[in-house]
Amino acid sequence: MSASYRAVESLNRRVRALRGEDLPEVLEIERRGYSFPWTEGVFRDCFRPDYRLWGIQISTGLAGYAVVAYMADEAHLLNLCVATGCRRSGLARHLLRHLVGEAARDGMTRILLEVRVSNCSATGLYLAEGFVEIGLRPGYYPSSSGREDARVLSLQLAGCGV
Ligand SMILES: CC(C)(COP(=O)(O)OP(=O)(O)OC[C@H]1O[C@@H](n2cnc3c(N)ncnc32)[C@H](O)[C@@H]1OP(=O)(O)O)[C@@H](O)C(=O)NCCC(=O)NCCS
């Protein structure tokens, strides 16, 4: 076991459903995590029966979150973010594995997501967890120089026994 994973074990990480009262912490992480962060209104709109909002809690508070939308039998991972001071400790991987397991249990057959072509850290995580690239959406994201393409990644769930 690597030193970083031992360090995170001591943080007592735990995944739980996000609640409305988590929003101030979520927004703080979001604003530090993205150049084009979601607004509070966007997060509030995600508290719906067909969405799953997960938070990863450590001893000092909320360290990250994920937002997943269920559409028929497909789950769409809309947001996954870990607080800047808590990165490279396995928290995103733990959260991702949790939401994948929950999506499988909820009867989803695959998980789809978009990721900026420049986002090597997130792409590295998803590919390491078994996602495969299935397409490209040109100009999908705003960027400082105009627009940026998104890779579309997919993880097949049906029959994988998650
Ligand atoms: C992408 C992000 C969620 C990763 O969170 P994290 O908790 O640091 O990730 P983990 O520690 O679980 O890392 C898991 C794997 O992801 C990859 N990875 C994560 N950060 C990386 C980096 N800076 N450089 C290269 N690979 C990286 C590695 O494959 C890593 O595995 P390893 O540690 O065994 O090498 C985090 O950097 C983040 O919140 N970024 C801003 C928001 C964002 O871009 N979200 C994704 C939207 S699609």
Side-chain angles (χ1 to χ4, degrees), residues 16 19 23 35 67 113 137 150 153:
R16 61 166 175 82
R19 303 179 289 262
L23 275 182
S35 313
V67 178
L113 63 87
R137 294 197 203 282
L153 304 185

Side-chain angles (χ1 to χ4, degrees), residues 112-119 123 132-141 147-154:
L112 286 171
L113 63 87
E114 284 85 19
V115 59
R116 287 178 186 271
V117 291
S118 64
N119 194 343
T123 304
V132 293
E133 186 168 341
I134 58 165
L136 198 72
R137 294 197 203 282
Y140 186 75
Y141 288 110
R147 308 290 302 179
E148 179 175 354
D149 297 349
R151 294 183 209 285
V152 184
L153 304 185
S154 168

Side-chain angles (χ1 to χ4, degrees), residues 49-149:
D50 50 342
Y51 279 49
R52 297 292 178 275
L53 290 87
W54 301 111
I56 188 156
Q57 184 87 31
I58 59 173
S59 49
T60 51
L62 193 72
Y65 50 82
V67 178
V68 186
Y70 287 176
M71 296 168 200
D73 63 347
E74 283 188 352
H76 202 146
L77 177 53
L78 301 177
N79 197 338
L80 172 70
C81 191
V82 168
T84 47
C86 300
R87 291 185 187 166
R88 293 320 295 265
S89 298
L91 293 179
R93 175 175 282 129
H94 189 70
L95 190 52
L96 184 62
R97 288 182 180 178
H98 176 90
L99 71 87
V100 166
E102 289 295 319
R105 264 185 287 282
D106 287 335
M108 298 296 116
T109 59
R110 70 171 175 166
I111 300 187
L112 286 171
L113 63 87
E114 284 85 19
V115 59
R116 287 178 186 271
V117 291
S118 64
N119 194 343
C120 298
S121 48
T123 304
L125 165 67
Y126 298 132
L127 294 180
E129 291 299 304
F131 282 78
V132 293
E133 186 168 341
I134 58 165
L136 198 72
R137 294 197 203 282
Y140 186 75
Y141 288 110
S143 79
S144 51
S145 56
R147 308 290 302 179
E148 179 175 354
D149 297 349

